Amino acid sequence: MREIQFREALREAMSEEMRRDKNVFLMGEEVAEYNGAYKVSQGMLDEFGPDRVYDTPISELGFAGLGVGAAMNGLKPIIEFMTFNFSLVAIDQIINSAAKMFSMSGGAYSVPIVFRGPTGNAGQLGATHSSNFENWFANTPGLKVIVPSNPYDAKGLLKSAIRDPDPVIFMESEVMYSDKGPVPEGEYLLPIGVADIKRKGKDVTVISFGKMMKVALEAAEEMARQLRLRDIGGIIVVDFIDMKLPDNKRKLQEAMEGFMKTDRAKHSVLPISKFGLMQITRQRMRPEVNINTAEVCPVCKGSGKITSTLLLEDEIEKRLYYLTSHAHKNLTLVVNPIVYSHLTKGLFFSSIIRKWNKKFKTKITIKANTNYHIVEFRFFNEHDEEIKL
């Protein structure tokens, strides 16, 4: 698949829609003769002429209002702000006219207009050119807000925005116009308002948009730095969001491999999985910390060590989980009398065995056998037959 710049993807979207629908036109400061402040509209004046690509005076309130009126009368204007910071001059037209007209007219007038342009901070910009107002517009009833994160999304979403019957705010990060990404040559549309789920989970949800895609590469660098500082070993798993495009996965893996080159330990960076997971294996450079989890044996009174009763409890619970998940019901657990006392101590409703009955939703009977070693335990089915594990 070909790769094109973010600005080229936007240009293709507008040009394709203008060829498709003669009612679509572009209007804004320097969009025609100068080819756009960020060259997004380069060549469009030559193709579509001055009747459909308009240069405006420096009067955002004026040409935004003109666009709203044109949209109410059947046209489909694309209004470009040189920066969305200047949209504040036109905010009355955006909020009180474009966003509310359909409701105030009882559905008689729709406003199919797109307000688009650069947003956010960039190099060598002053404070009055560096703001992000997407949260303002997103909290305005009647407006749809789009902030794409790559060329593919930018083209597909802009085409959908132009065809949408309602006003759309389309914001483009100023630092992304030169970014390249794969974009198919054929026509495609992306739905507005549908979340792109990169990896399903049940515990944590990370939601982002726009230029935050670049943060994934920064996270890779920080991950490698932390590995070198802590000198840890084993397997490291990193979960990256927005890993839909194969090219992004490749770039991230190459970046991680580059960051890890100075690491003196043997390591391997595995490709990102379809779930957005990157795995890194790394040689352990220092001895692992040994933690003594054994207890003094109550039978031999200290001449030997046994597994901690807490760890034994965990081991029994793991086996219970396995058995109940494989259709075993009405189980009998036989243990040493000392372990029996540990599992049944406390009130009936607060004992460990009672909690297991509730957790695994089955009847678990516990019995003591003095012939069993203290860490020995066995399971029997309802026919009193031992279940081999």
Side-chain angles (χ1 to χ4, degrees), residues 45-110:
L45 175 62
D46 295 335
E47 178 176 355
F48 299 104
D51 290 337
R52 298 184 67 191
V53 181
Y54 296 91
D55 273 334
T56 67
I58 303 176
S59 177
E60 286 78 10
L61 179 65
F63 64 77
L66 194 157
V68 172
M72 291 174 61
N73 284 278
L75 298 180
K76 296 181 179 179
I78 304 170
I79 304 300
E80 178 178 318
F81 294 120
M82 191 177 293
T83 165
F84 257 97
N85 292 270
F86 300 160
S87 70
L88 299 188
V89 182
I91 202 164
D92 181 62
Q93 290 292 348
I94 298 171
I95 303 297
N96 285 324
S97 294
K100 298 179 181 178
M101 186 55 63
F102 185 78
S103 175
M104 290 193 301
S105 67
Y109 291 100
S110 60

Side-chain angles (χ1 to χ4, degrees), residues 266-279:
K266 292 181 180 179
H267 61 269
S268 177
V269 180
L270 303 180
I272 295 177
S273 73
K274 64 180 180 180
F275 299 111
L277 293 175
M278 171 182 283
Q279 300 181 54

Side-chain angles (χ1 to χ4, degrees), residues 266-372:
K266 292 181 180 179
H267 61 269
S268 177
V269 180
L270 303 180
I272 295 177
S273 73
K274 64 180 180 180
F275 299 111
L277 293 175
M278 171 182 283
Q279 300 181 54
I280 307 165
T281 60
R282 185 176 185 273
Q283 176 190 20
R284 190 182 298 278
M285 299 299 293
R286 295 176 183 173
E288 62 184 356
V289 177
N290 292 318
I291 301 175
N292 186 10
T293 59
E295 293 179 347
V296 174
C297 177
V299 177
C300 63
K301 304 301 181 184
S303 62
K305 297 286 186 179
I306 63 168
T307 302
S308 165
T309 51
L310 291 176
L311 296 182
L312 181 63
E313 177 188 326
D314 288 342
E315 183 63 23
I316 294 174
E317 186 168 340
K318 289 178 185 176
R319 301 294 178 87
L320 276 172
Y321 175 80
Y322 175 82
L323 291 172
T324 55
S325 63
H326 286 75
H328 287 282
K329 302 294 181 182
N330 299 324
L331 298 169
T332 298
L333 170 64
V334 182
V335 296
N336 180 275
I338 296 175
V339 178
Y340 176 90
S341 299
H342 172 73
L343 297 178
T344 57
K345 69 180 178 181
L347 297 175
F348 175 74
F349 290 102
S350 62
S351 66
I352 295 172
I353 195 68
R354 174 62 177 172
K355 291 177 181 177
W356 284 346
N357 275 285
K358 292 180 64 177
K359 180 176 182 179
F360 298 112
K361 295 181 175 60
T362 189
K363 182 181 178 182
I364 303 170
T365 303
I366 185 168
K367 295 180 179 180
N369 189 326
T370 56
N371 294 322
Y372 279 33

